[in-house]
Amino acid sequence: MCRHNMQDRLYKRLQAECDMHISQQLAALQAQTQLAPAAFLEQVAATWEDYCNQMLLIRSIFLYLDRAYVMSLPGLRSLFDTGLASLRQHLAAHSQVESHILRGLLDLVERERRGEAVDRQLLAGLVRMLGDLGLYATTFNPRLLQETAAFYKAEGLRLMEACDVPDYLIHCESRIHQEQERCLHYLDPSSRRPLLQEVEQQLLAAHIGSILAKGFNPLMSGHRVQDLARLYSLLGRVGGTDALREQWRLYITTTGVVIVKDGLNDKEMVDRLLQLKAQLDEVLTNAFNNSPVFADQLTSAFQSAVNSRSNKPAELVAKYIDAKLRSSKGVGEGELEADLDRALVLFGYIQGKDVFEAFYKKDLAKRLLLGRSASMDAEKLMISKLKAGCGGNFTANIEGMFRDMDVASETMELFQRHYNRVKRASQQQDGSTDDAPASMSSVASGIDVQVTVLTQAHWPTQAMLELNLPTELVHWQTMFKDFYSKHYSSYRQLVWQHSMSTAMLRANFPKGAKELSVSLLQALVLLLFNDADELSYEAIKEQLGVKNERELQRTLLSLSVGKVRVLTKIPKGPDVKLTDVFSYNSAFSNPLLRIKVNNIQLKETHEENAKTNAEVVQERQHAIDAAIVRVMKMRKTLAHKLLVQEVITQLRFQLTNADLKRRIDNLIEREFLERSSADSQVYNYLA
């Protein structure tokens, strides 16, 4: 027929036959629209499969027509494409069939979302049919997205009320995975991104505020890292990272401030802060993938929380390190270094590092002078870490304290050799020599003395404790003073600090001899009972010449009320009164030979802490004044705002504008500065 120029008639006749067949098939399908969706779709699938097979058979029979005639004329469709176009036209005319197909497909998708088992192969075949007919993108996909949004909007509202946040997040994650599976198994790939966006929008984006308000703090408090990782991942899909980061900041600040301002539990503050920091670091690493923006937020929020209470955190961090360095026995070097590193991380957040320095130096002084340090290697390790973190200026005085201890040890060796030499000369000549002090014959040979000479500028200020020393100790003092003045510069003046002195006493009790490790004041009190079995408070005070009654009362309590009661107090009670009487405790017993009597003066009092803080305030005023003068000396004339900015950059502690203004006014009164006559907000330096 094609060779006899009948191609056109044949092509049109085939097209007419196909149209008639399609019309009959769709009419048959329309008669079955009353069937259940699944049954109807099976009929549609069967009809589609038959139609495709028939069109393939027709194309095979009329292959010459399809290749020779159709392809030679532009604008003509192939036989198969003509069949598809015809089916699409007739399907549009049978809108009830088309609507029933779309409704059936959407119903099956929803049934699967509700957990029912559906025929995915049937769905895949019909979805391909819609794609081949050009109806997927224009008709099916918009309705699919619309019903998906409605379905998940209702589900999101319902589950947000019924579920807790971890379960809700698991459900959201599961839903996203399920939709990905649908796209993989039977939906067109073009639906994947829009479909997931609808799920994320309705389940996550619409509820970001509720999810964070309801669940973030419990997840953090419960340290549920896996759930937090899921939250971070899911919110990242819908642009919720900023809201999550803000909630992260609020949690850190609020939790940290609660810990720092809990005055009733100050002893636990450092441990709780370290625990919080460790938990936050773990969440940052394992849940938030070490996100730089979350790390920055952690740093700023934690610093804000730590510094929400002035001075106290710095003091307690110093005390924490002191406790570690005093009680590191039985602790491995690695564990101790790890503890110090954690404390130094906390120290890094403290803005008032001068407060830390003041308390650290005071505690270090006690460890060095009273032999309380568990390891000198650990002490030096700590100094090296502080120096690496804060610079040499910060540790200059602390390093000077260690040098003083080394020099003091050498000085004591020289004094011991001097004493032995003078003693031998005195014994050989049966009298005094030029080198021997007049009191040489009065020195008690049974007393060993250790003197530590310190540089006052390096060490924290100690309260002067005036005491009437026994004659033997006075003679030792005189000997050492004579020795020191001959061997060292005359510009060096010795000032005796008794508050940190200690002694070891040999005491005889009816139940056995003991060695008592005590403070100097405790020792002097006990020595009074060599000559009397009972003494009143006033008598003890008078004989010792103590003016600091509070210190004397604390000392008497440590000897009569503490764990080691070598004295008895009449009447009994927790306080010392002027009428109290103390006596030698002949019934004292203890299984140990060497006994440490609690040095109550080692325990910090509110007054001592207040004094240390007052010293810090005074030092800060000097530092502010020096910074202002340095800046003004260099600039000569400077506006107030610029002066504030430059001074703040030079100081290592937090400073308010009010504090700085007071110091500027003070310097103006002292005629270091003056206000400009042209502008009161501009200062001139006065040489």
Side-chain angles (χ1 to χ4, degrees):
M1 293 180 70
C2 292
R3 291 178 181 178
H4 291 82
N5 295 322
M6 300 177 67
Q7 304 98 319
D8 185 57
R9 290 175 59 192
L10 180 60
Y11 182 82
K12 292 180 179 179
R13 182 67 182 271
L14 280 174
Q15 190 175 26
E17 289 293 332
C18 288
D19 287 342
M20 183 176 64
H21 176 73
I22 292 169
S23 180
Q24 293 172 353
Q25 293 295 318
L26 290 179
L29 286 176
Q30 187 165 348
Q32 298 179 18
T33 53
Q34 75 280 1
L35 294 175
F40 177 75
L41 291 179
E42 288 175 358
Q43 291 296 323
V44 174
T47 301
W48 168 252
E49 185 177 1
D50 289 343
Y51 182 73
C52 289
N53 291 333
Q54 290 166 0
M55 290 304 300
L56 290 173
L57 180 60
I58 290 173
R59 187 177 66 176
S60 299
I61 294 173
F62 296 95
L63 184 61
Y64 185 81
L65 175 68
D66 197 32
R67 291 184 177 179
Y69 174 69
V70 173
M71 294 183 67
S72 64
L73 295 176
L76 286 182
R77 299 189 184 95
S78 67
L79 294 178
F80 193 85
D81 289 343
T82 300
L84 291 179
S86 179
L87 177 59
R88 182 164 56 247
Q89 291 173 359
H90 284 278
L91 193 59
H94 293 75
S95 59
Q96 187 177 1
V97 175
E98 180 182 354
S99 176
H100 217 60
I101 293 172
L102 296 178
R103 183 70 266 159
L105 288 173
L106 294 172
D107 285 346
L108 286 183
V109 172
E110 183 171 341
R111 284 168 58 186
E112 188 181 38
R113 285 172 175 163
R114 296 188 185 281
E116 298 182 29
V118 298
D119 188 349
R120 285 190 166 186
Q121 188 174 358
L122 173 64
L123 283 168
L126 293 174
V127 165
R128 282 195 299 271
M129 179 193 76
L130 293 177
D132 291 340
L133 295 175
L135 299 175
Y136 186 90
T138 59
T139 306
F140 177 75
N141 197 48
R143 290 188 60 182
L144 173 66
L145 296 179
Q146 181 181 1
E147 297 202 6
T148 297
F151 177 85
Y152 285 115
K153 180 179 181 180
E155 183 176 81
L157 293 172
R158 175 171 53 83
L159 293 181
M160 275 304 299
E161 293 293 332
C163 297
D164 58 10
V165 169
D167 292 339
Y168 184 79
L169 294 176
I170 292 173
H171 178 79
C172 292
E173 196 173 55
S174 174
R175 282 303 197 187
I176 292 173
H177 177 71
Q178 290 170 12
E179 296 300 331
Q180 290 172 335
E181 288 289 311
R182 287 188 186 94
C183 293
L184 182 65
H185 284 92
Y186 58 81
L187 294 177
D188 190 81
S190 63
S191 295
R192 185 179 185 278
R193 187 62 255 168
L195 189 67
L196 294 179
Q197 285 177 345
E198 288 295 344
V199 177
E200 294 164 357
Q201 174 64 32
Q202 301 304 328
L203 292 183
L204 294 170
H207 302 287
I208 289 176
S210 299
I211 291 172
L212 293 176
K214 182 180 178 181
F216 185 78
N217 285 359
L219 291 180
M220 289 295 300
S221 301
H223 198 54
R224 301 178 66 166
V225 179
Q226 186 175 356
D227 290 326
L228 287 165
R230 183 177 294 110
L231 176 64
Y232 176 76
S233 175
L234 291 174
L235 293 189
R237 301 174 69 101
V238 295
T241 305
D242 290 342
L244 177 60
R245 186 170 68 248
E246 178 62 17
Q247 197 69 27
W248 164 254
R249 183 191 67 80
L250 288 174
Y251 175 82
I252 296 171
T253 303
T254 303
T255 307
V257 167
V258 168
I259 294 174
V260 170
K261 292 191 175 182
D262 185 6
L264 297 178
N265 295 296
D266 278 347
K267 292 182 179 180
E268 303 172 5
M269 180 195 294
V270 175
D271 285 321
R272 292 168 68 190
L273 285 175
L274 290 175
Q275 183 181 6
L276 174 63
K277 183 61 170 58
Q279 291 176 348
L280 295 174
D281 287 340
E282 184 178 355
V283 170
L284 178 65
T285 301
N286 298 327
F288 300 156
N289 297 329
N290 278 322
S291 167
V293 291
F294 278 79
D296 292 343
Q297 204 70 274
L298 168 59
T299 300
S300 61
F302 200 81
Q303 184 177 50
S304 174
V306 169
N307 293 285
S308 62
R309 183 179 176 190
S310 61
N311 298 350
K312 199 63 179 181
E315 173 191 338
L316 294 177
V317 170
K319 297 299 179 189
Y320 176 86
I321 295 175
D322 174 59
K324 293 296 180 182
L325 293 174
R326 280 192 290 109
S327 60
S328 63
K329 293 181 179 179
V331 178
E333 292 183 4
E335 184 179 351
L336 176 59
E337 185 173 359
D339 288 339
L340 295 178
D341 286 339
R342 285 192 292 270
L344 285 174
V345 169
L346 199 58
F347 163 74
Y349 289 103
I350 294 173
Q351 293 177 338
K353 289 182 171 55
D354 52 342
V355 178
F356 171 88
E357 180 187 8
F359 282 95
Y360 184 86
K361 284 174 60 178
K362 188 167 67 171
D363 294 332
L364 175 62
K366 292 179 180 179
R367 294 197 300 274
L368 294 178
L369 296 177
L370 302 178
R372 301 297 180 217
S373 181
S375 169
M376 291 305 296
D377 290 338
E379 294 282 2
K380 292 178 180 178
L381 175 65
M382 183 64 195
I383 300 306
S384 67
K385 290 180 180 294
L386 287 174
K387 188 173 184 178
C390 302
N393 290 336
F394 185 82
T395 58
N397 285 337
I398 299 175
E399 291 177 305
M401 294 168 70
F402 282 91
R403 288 195 298 271
D404 280 354
M405 294 301 295
D406 294 336
V407 172
S409 178
E410 296 172 1
T411 301
M412 199 60 204
E413 290 179 4
L414 292 175
F415 174 68
Q416 192 64 46
R417 289 198 292 269
H418 166 77
Y419 167 71
N420 292 334
R421 184 174 64 252
V422 172
K423 183 178 180 181
R424 286 194 301 270
S426 176
Q427 291 173 347
Q428 291 173 1
Q429 299 181 14
D430 295 325
S432 299
T433 67
D434 293 339
D435 291 331
S439 58
M440 182 68 205
S441 59
S442 302
V443 174
S445 59
I447 300 177
D448 293 328
V449 174
Q450 178 76 27
V451 180
T452 305
V453 181
L454 309 174
T455 305
Q456 187 173 4
H458 294 159
W459 294 75
T461 304
Q462 299 292 335
M464 294 297 294
L465 183 62
E466 297 183 13
L467 296 172
N468 293 332
L469 297 178
T471 305
E472 297 85 353
L473 291 182
V474 173
H475 291 326
W476 274 109
Q477 274 190 342
T478 304
M479 280 188 62
F480 187 86
K481 186 175 181 181
D482 293 341
F483 156 79
Y484 197 82
S485 62
K486 290 180 180 179
H487 287 77
Y488 294 93
S489 170
S490 59
Y491 293 104
R492 297 187 181 184
Q493 299 294 324
L494 292 179
V495 178
W496 298 92
Q497 290 279 6
H498 301 309
S499 59
M500 298 296 291
S501 300
T502 60
M504 182 69 73
L505 297 181
R506 296 185 182 90
N508 294 314
F509 295 95
K511 295 185 179 181
K514 303 293 179 183
E515 293 183 359
L516 304 178
S517 176
V518 293
S519 69
L520 177 61
L521 183 53
Q522 287 174 326
L524 298 184
V525 170
L526 293 176
L527 289 175
L528 296 179
F529 289 89
N530 282 336
D531 302 322
D533 290 337
E534 185 176 282
L535 290 169
S536 67
Y537 172 81
E538 290 292 345
I540 295 173
K541 175 185 173 183
E542 182 179 354
Q543 292 188 47
L544 295 180
V546 180
K547 296 182 179 179
N548 189 340
E549 292 196 33
R550 184 177 180 82
E551 187 67 25
L552 177 60
Q553 291 171 3
R554 290 161 60 188
T555 299
L556 289 171
L557 283 175
S558 68
L559 296 171
S560 60
V561 180
K563 293 182 179 179
V564 182
R565 301 184 180 185
V566 293
L567 300 179
T568 57
K569 185 173 82 72
I570 304 172
K572 294 182 179 181
D575 299 318
V576 174
K577 299 179 181 179
L578 300 180
T579 57
D580 286 349
V581 175
F582 297 86
S583 61
Y584 162 72
N585 184 9
S586 59
F588 175 78
S589 64
N590 195 294
L592 300 176
L593 172 63
R594 178 169 293 182
I595 304 168
K596 170 74 170 62
V597 180
N598 280 337
N599 288 317
I600 292 183
Q601 82 271 13
L602 289 180
K603 297 181 179 179
E604 296 289 348
T605 64
H606 293 296
E607 291 80 0
E608 290 173 332
N609 288 344
K611 180 182 177 183
T612 303
N613 284 314
E615 292 172 355
V616 170
V617 171
Q618 188 66 35
E619 289 295 328
R620 285 184 175 183
Q621 291 180 354
H622 296 326
I624 296 170
D625 291 351
I628 294 172
V629 171
R630 278 197 304 271
V631 172
M632 292 302 302
K633 188 175 182 180
M634 180 176 63
R635 296 298 188 90
K636 304 303 181 184
T637 299
L638 198 62
H640 176 81
K641 187 176 181 179
L642 296 176
L643 176 60
V644 170
Q645 292 175 352
E646 292 204 26
V647 169
I648 289 177
T649 59
Q650 294 189 17
L651 299 175
R652 61 180 183 180
F653 50 83
Q654 197 172 12
L655 179 67
T656 65
N657 288 333
D659 293 334
L660 186 54
K661 188 176 184 303
R662 281 194 293 270
R663 299 317 305 162
I664 292 174
D665 291 341
N666 181 266
L667 289 173
I668 291 174
E669 291 178 4
R670 291 154 57 191
E671 298 184 351
F672 283 90
L673 308 176
E674 68 173 3
R675 296 185 188 275
S676 171
S677 58
D679 188 349
S680 62
Q681 292 297 308
V682 175
Y683 305 106
N684 297 324
Y685 176 70
L686 300 178

